[in-house]
Amino acid sequence: MVRHFLTLSRAIDAGTSLVGRVVYWLILVAVLISAGNAILRYSIGYSSNASLEMQWYLSSAVFLLCAGYAMLHQAHVRIDLISGRFSARVNAWVDVFGIIVMVLPVCAVITVFGWDAFVSSYQIGEVSLDAGGLLRWPVKLLIPIGFALLIVQAISELIKKIAFLRGLLPATGNDGGNDAGAATTDVTEAPHARP
């Protein structure tokens, strides 16, 4: 049974990595739009609210859609002063508690309310109040999608933490071990003794 969950976790991690690697190219697109806008503004005096808003949309997309990618790579803010004093097992228990009590419920609420905000914006055809501004619903759609992706990655992290606590995976990332990539270790290769 645990092997099936670890297989699911590996699939989620692969999907999250793919999303992260694709979405972070939007940073380059935002930089190119910003540079193009600056060049046009200073060379011929032309500026566009749409291009400024597009930069904001792209930044929002990177932030929201890569939250799961950041979680996968243990890049979220952590209180190292505190977690550095605990053993890998205590840190894993703290993560399990945090995922179950905070991450999943908060992300679920934001996903539901974000979806409602998107639907409302889409139904009324909400657009920016700025002249030449863009539709608002596409950026509002990023909220439920981003938090849904974060929920999926949180489930993967929960699976890995529980597998670690059961002695089926080595310590990873903030657990006091190696890189988050160790989570892809096959169960048959993982140590079976509790750390």
Side-chain angles (χ1 to χ4, degrees):
M1 182 68 152
V2 174
R3 292 178 202 275
H4 297 299
F5 283 117
L6 288 171
T7 300
L8 173 64
S9 176
R10 283 191 293 276
I12 291 169
D13 291 351
T16 298
S17 289
L18 178 64
V19 169
R21 286 191 310 269
V22 169
V23 170
Y24 66 53
W25 282 99
L26 295 179
I27 295 169
L28 176 61
V29 175
V31 167
L32 292 174
I33 290 172
S34 177
N37 195 37
I39 290 168
L40 290 174
R41 184 173 60 243
Y42 291 112
S43 64
I44 62 172
Y46 174 80
S47 184
S48 164
N49 282 332
S51 65
L52 294 173
E53 288 183 11
M54 183 55 68
Q55 293 169 55
W56 175 66
Y57 283 22
L58 293 170
S59 297
S60 299
V62 170
F63 176 79
L64 289 164
L65 301 178
C66 286
Y69 184 79
M71 179 179 268
L72 172 64
H73 293 284
Q74 305 295 319
H76 283 280
V77 175
R78 178 172 292 284
I79 304 173
D80 291 332
L81 182 63
I82 296 171
S83 66
R85 297 175 190 261
F86 296 140
S87 69
R89 290 188 62 77
V90 170
N91 279 329
W93 277 112
V94 168
D95 286 345
V96 166
F97 177 80
I99 290 168
I100 292 171
V101 174
M102 292 298 296
V103 175
L104 292 175
V106 169
C107 288
V109 168
I110 293 172
T111 300
V112 169
F113 283 106
W115 180 258
D116 291 344
F118 154 70
V119 168
S120 175
S121 179
Y122 180 79
Q123 287 174 338
I124 64 171
E126 183 181 8
V127 291
S128 171
L129 296 176
D130 295 323
L134 301 175
L135 290 168
R136 287 285 191 228
W137 67 261
V139 77
K140 289 188 177 184
L141 179 59
L142 294 172
I143 296 168
I145 291 173
F147 279 92
L149 290 171
L150 186 55
I151 287 171
V152 171
Q153 187 58 42
I155 290 168
S156 174
E157 296 303 313
L158 183 61
I159 291 167
K160 291 182 283 192
K161 299 301 178 186
I162 291 170
F164 165 73
L165 290 168
R166 294 186 67 192
L168 300 173
L169 283 181
T172 59
N174 65 304
D175 294 329
N178 49 26
D179 189 2
T184 60
T185 305
D186 188 6
V187 177
T188 57
E189 300 171 11
H192 293 288
R194 292 193 185 265

